[in-house]
Amino acid sequence: MRIDIISAVPDLLISPLSHSILKRAQKKNLLKVVVHNLRDYGLGKHQQIDDYQFGGGSGMVMMIEPIATLINKLKGDRHYDEIIYMTPDGHQLSQGECNYLSLKKNLIILCGHYKGIDERIRDIFVTKEISIGDYVLSGGELPAAILVDTLGRLIPGVLNDESSALFDSFQDNLLSAPIYTRPADYKGHKIPDILLSGHKKKIEDWRDEQAYLRTKERRPDLLDDNR
Ligand code: ADE
């Protein structure tokens, strides 16, 4: 999978994309992430990428031309399955959508900054608008990093079988069961006996039950979705 990220503040993306599972995915050539500095496509000698709002109002708006030039250049090189704009007024990201997007070949993720982007960019280019939640961040870079992280771990071959993303919370609309590691007894706080029983089937049943109970207690709305 190839993901092109368009950003006015590309440095914000470097660290989140360079460690752990995303690093491994890129090393294995299962994922290629290319971060584009929008400023390189800015207008005039100041490489302008934002301007005042028509009609007045505070905050600068990202201009259409630099973004259009870059997107058209990328589209000239390959077909993109989706051009995604990270924005708090998009629809909220879900595991189901991540699963769907992880099967795509080429994606563009556009990060807004300042007040946002000229509406015409959304009209002309954007095919999907995604929010990571009902709160406002300073820009789309951290949301884009979150999206890339969720997609990276879903690409076949990135995780080994044992830590497969299929066992993540939300994959069955269920939260994960509690997990424990050594010591089995920490100052009297013991792990559930069943986990020491060595009985695979019983442990699996216990985990299923715990996942269900935890979901019922904390996120009953997920169970409602299943009906
Ligand atoms: N940009 C700013 N806030 C955002 C959010 N909540 N989701 C996606 N992009 C954003």
Side-chain angles (χ1 to χ4, degrees):
M1 167 182 260
R2 175 181 167 124
I3 303 177
D4 290 86
I5 306 182
I6 301 175
S7 167
V9 198
D11 285 355
L12 274 174
L13 286 156
I14 291 170
S15 181
L17 299 175
S18 318
H19 300 280
S20 183
I21 287 162
L22 287 183
K23 180 179 174 184
R24 196 191 316 161
Q26 291 172 91
K27 241 186 175 163
K28 283 183 170 176
N29 284 328
L30 295 169
L31 173 67
K32 184 176 167 91
V33 185
V34 185
V35 179
H36 302 270
N37 187 348
L38 191 59
R39 185 76 53 192
D40 294 341
Y41 299 84
L43 305 185
K45 77 169 192 280
H46 296 297
Q47 295 179 294
Q48 187 182 359
I49 56 171
D50 59 340
D51 210 337
Y52 294 100
Q53 264 191 76
F54 277 125
S58 65
M60 302 296 274
V61 178
M62 288 169 74
M63 301 166 80
I64 194 164
E65 289 105 321
I67 294 173
T69 304
L70 175 50
I71 291 181
N72 283 328
K73 177 169 148 314
L74 291 170
K75 284 172 78 174
D77 291 340
R78 67 193 63 76
H79 167 76
Y80 283 91
D81 300 293
E82 300 280 1
I83 300 180
I84 300 165
Y85 175 46
M86 304 309 297
T87 173
D89 56 17
H91 69 264
Q92 198 159 317
L93 186 62
S94 65
Q95 189 63 50
E97 174 139 54
C98 295
N99 294 347
Y100 163 81
L101 288 172
S102 73
L103 300 173
K104 301 295 175 194
K105 198 157 173 258
N106 298 308
L107 300 174
I108 292 176
I109 303 178
L110 173 59
C111 306
H113 223 85
Y114 317 113
K115 187 89 185 169
I117 61 174
D118 188 307
E119 186 69 19
R120 290 166 293 181
I121 300 163
R122 299 165 85 153
D123 298 340
I124 300 169
F125 296 107
V126 171
T127 59
K128 217 176 228 314
E129 303 195 333
I130 295 179
S131 163
I132 59 158
D134 287 342
Y135 39 83
V136 179
L137 294 146
S138 321
E141 284 76 12
L142 298 180
I146 286 171
L147 178 58
V148 175
D149 189 292
T150 63
L151 299 184
R153 58 188 290 108
L154 288 166
I155 297 170
V158 170
L159 297 185
N160 55 36
D161 279 351
E162 276 158 46
S163 54
S164 162
L166 294 175
F167 300 115
D168 285 346
S169 277
F170 298 111
Q171 277 297 6
D172 301 320
N173 269 8
L174 287 177
L175 304 181
S176 292
I179 52 171
Y180 303 88
T181 187
R182 289 188 296 174
D185 183 343
Y186 174 72
K187 298 181 180 174
H189 296 267
K190 294 188 180 142
I191 69 165
D193 288 339
I194 182 79
L195 296 176
L196 296 171
S197 69
H199 198 300
K200 271 195 160 181
K201 172 76 174 83
K202 281 191 181 158
I203 292 174
E204 205 178 294
D205 289 347
W206 178 85
R207 285 186 171 141
D208 286 349
E209 187 189 16
Q210 291 296 314
Y212 174 76
L213 292 174
R214 182 166 275 203
T215 309
K216 196 169 160 199
E217 184 190 320
R218 299 183 183 191
R219 292 293 307 275
D221 55 304
L222 293 175
L223 298 174
D224 289 348
D225 283 357
N226 271 339
R227 281 194 204 124

